[in-house]
Amino acid sequence: MQVELTEEQRQVQKLCRELADAELRPQARRWDAEHTFPREAVKRLGELGLMGVAVPAEWGGAGMDAVSYAVAMEEISRGCAGTGVIMSVNNSLYCDPLLKYGSEEQKREFLAPFARGERLGAFALTEPMSGSDAAEMRTVAVARGDDYVLDGTKNFITNGPQADVILVFAMTDRAKAHRGISAFLVPTDVQGFSRGRADEKVGIRASGSCSIFFEGCAIPKRYRLGGEGDGFKVAMSTLDGGRIGIAAQALGIARAAYEEALAYAKERHSFGKKIAEHQAIQFMLADMATELDAARLLVWRAAALKDRQVRHSAESAMAKLYASEMAERVTSKAVQIHGGYGYVKEFDVERHWRDSRITEIYEGTSEIQRLVISGAVLKD
Ligand code: CAA
């Protein structure tokens, strides 16, 4: 069994690491403080093929594999976690389902400019009264002539404030429960679509999220992605890939905190020696390094299965569950190693700690990941 990256994957890693060091890390603290969307950085990601990493070149992407995508997500998120999730949503939750379920016509209109990073995509499943229980959604899409008319509200939509097109899930036949859900590509300049104010978030503040509203919002029938009633499977299979991206994001956040704690431990003195010479600190660093590597192996395994087109729901859930909970532990230890300096904004570790928290919530909470994993374990 090989756990080494290929030459191409190493090149992506190097490119993204250099980009993160040069263009993301120096600005991440300001973007966080000002809640600023990093428009120039996103444009740069697009130019480098990072907004459509696994999309074939004919559709505007970089034509790489899911392992390359995971490696890129870790490096970009190490530089700025907010930029990481902007990239992740566009890649995994927008481009990926279009590639898998879109018609040629839909790909022509809705894929290439998004994979090139010229336009931005989002994914709208969550509603005010249905988060984990996604099939309980209230948003409806009623067929009328050549159109579907959407009514309802979605919330916490990452990339919502900036998105040009949103992949929206709505009920076309409530009597069929989850089998009555369909997926739609909704351009955000159509009549009947509006957005709420950007959410004021604890972390990942370079990325925007907001509520979105549909009031008699008519879209052509050709904007339906997949068959009528296929929406729940489109959403679930898309999240299988998305969870790899979020696991890699958590890994990048944790690595940033670990590297900063390691450097600090070699500089700071207490009781007449560097704190890195105290066993209490050494053991924390040892646990952090071990957990980071364990998470990375889970992330790469899930990505490798995706590349082999093997069903990877449980492996993605394991990667996300472990990497996100690991990120909270590792960033918290990094704060601890910094002592009082870890709790003030002159250092970045407090931001990494805040950024880590959401990875245990979005694209399925840790509890949902445990449901998916236990479902697979008990089926065997
Ligand atoms: N791939 C394909 N099909 C799948 C699937 C998968 N991974 N998971 C389930 N299905 C199918 C099942 O086979 C079943 O099919 P049939 O109708 O043929 O029987 C159907 O879907 C229903 O499956 P379940 O009975 O397991 O469904 P459920 O209602 O019990 O829910 C759940 C399952 C795992 C809890 C699901 O609701 C879930 O994942 N919830 C969490 C939602 C979530 O992750 N939201 C994140 C929002 S996006 C986001 O966060 C973006 C962001 O901001 C960055």
Side-chain angles (χ1 to χ4, degrees):
M1 184 191 165
Q2 269 204 311
V3 283
E4 281 187 8
L5 297 178
T6 63
E7 183 51 34
E8 187 185 62
Q9 290 158 351
R10 271 202 301 274
Q11 278 177 15
V12 175
Q13 188 178 45
K14 183 168 176 288
L15 173 89
C16 294
R17 193 169 295 174
E18 288 170 358
L19 176 77
D21 283 334
E23 298 179 35
L24 305 180
R25 289 183 78 186
Q27 308 202 69
R29 197 184 300 176
R30 180 173 60 80
W31 292 335
D32 169 74
E34 296 171 3
H35 228 306
T36 303
F37 182 78
R39 200 164 294 282
E40 282 306 307
V42 172
K43 191 164 162 255
R44 187 89 184 96
L45 294 184
E47 288 163 1
L48 295 170
L50 296 169
M51 293 302 275
V53 177
V55 175
E58 62 169 314
W59 298 114
M64 288 184 278
D65 57 13
V67 173
S68 302
Y69 169 61
V71 166
M73 269 300 299
E74 176 183 342
E75 297 302 328
I76 297 300
S77 304
R78 171 181 158 272
C80 171
T83 306
V85 74
I86 296 165
M87 171 178 157
S88 172
V89 167
N90 194 73
N91 272 275
S92 331
L93 299 189
Y94 182 84
C95 291
D96 206 34
L98 251 158
L99 194 59
K100 195 164 171 194
Y101 299 103
S103 64
E104 291 286 305
E105 191 194 350
Q106 287 173 332
K107 285 182 195 161
R108 248 194 316 276
E109 188 171 353
F110 291 112
L111 185 53
F114 294 80
R116 285 196 296 264
E118 295 157 5
R119 307 188 80 204
L120 191 66
F123 177 94
L125 180 67
T126 303
E127 299 190 356
M129 297 307 287
S130 78
S132 291
D133 191 359
E136 262 301 300
M137 68 180 62
R138 294 284 143 216
T139 298
V140 293
V142 177
R144 193 175 298 158
D146 291 337
D147 292 337
Y148 281 101
V149 181
L150 274 67
D151 279 282
T153 302
K154 300 277 175 183
N155 69 344
F156 304 134
I157 305 308
T158 303
N159 288 355
Q162 295 84 18
D164 298 291
V165 175
I166 305 184
L167 177 57
V168 178
F169 298 87
M171 275 287 177
T172 40
D173 187 349
R174 182 164 307 286
K176 293 186 180 157
H178 69 267
R179 291 182 182 165
I181 294 170
S182 306
F184 302 94
L185 293 156
V186 181
T188 54
D189 57 1
V190 290
Q191 283 242 321
F193 172 87
S194 61
R195 325 178 206 235
R197 265 183 317 172
D199 299 322
E200 183 68 46
K201 291 181 296 196
V202 169
I204 54 156
R205 289 163 56 88
S207 107
S209 69
C210 65
S211 296
I212 57 174
F213 309 103
F214 305 93
E215 286 173 278
C217 176
I219 52 160
K221 278 195 170 153
R222 64 191 164 85
Y223 287 1
R224 193 188 67 225
L225 186 72
E228 200 168 280
D230 288 346
F232 197 70
K233 285 192 181 169
V234 172
M236 291 300 117
S237 59
T238 297
L239 285 165
D240 285 345
R243 288 166 185 166
I244 300 173
I246 298 306
Q249 183 203 22
L251 190 52
I253 296 168
R255 207 177 99 225
Y258 164 74
E259 288 173 356
E260 285 158 30
L262 187 63
Y264 184 81
K266 289 181 188 166
E267 279 170 16
R268 172 80 179 179
H269 283 71
S270 75
F271 302 100
K273 54 185 177 185
K274 289 177 183 158
I275 63 168
E277 290 167 23
H278 293 297
Q279 203 175 52
I281 302 294
Q282 290 168 353
F283 280 13
M284 275 200 254
L285 291 169
D287 288 344
M288 292 157 88
T290 305
E291 291 205 69
L292 273 162
D293 276 8
R296 188 173 297 107
L297 289 171
L298 286 173
V299 172
W300 287 3
R301 178 182 69 164
L305 288 174
K306 183 170 193 300
D307 280 328
R308 281 167 41 206
Q309 298 184 356
V310 173
R311 173 113 182 223
H312 51 92
S313 310
E315 290 80 2
S316 291
M318 286 180 188
K320 182 181 180 289
L321 172 65
Y322 187 78
S324 61
E325 295 194 345
M326 174 281 294
E328 204 198 356
R329 285 192 295 274
V330 166
T331 56
S332 179
K333 284 195 176 104
V335 169
Q336 196 68 18
I337 289 172
H338 280 76
Y341 291 109
Y343 205 64
V344 292
K345 288 182 185 272
E346 290 158 64
F347 285 78
D348 287 331
V349 279
E350 63 81 28
R351 189 182 79 246
H352 304 319
W353 181 45
R354 286 186 284 110
D355 286 345
S356 74
R357 193 63 181 85
I358 188 64
T359 64
E360 295 171 283
I361 298 171
Y362 58 21
E363 298 202 29
T365 59
S366 289
E367 292 69 30
I368 291 297
Q369 309 312 322
R370 288 187 169 92
L371 265 186
V372 173
I373 298 162
S374 58
V377 168
L378 291 167
K379 208 165 80 180
D380 290 342

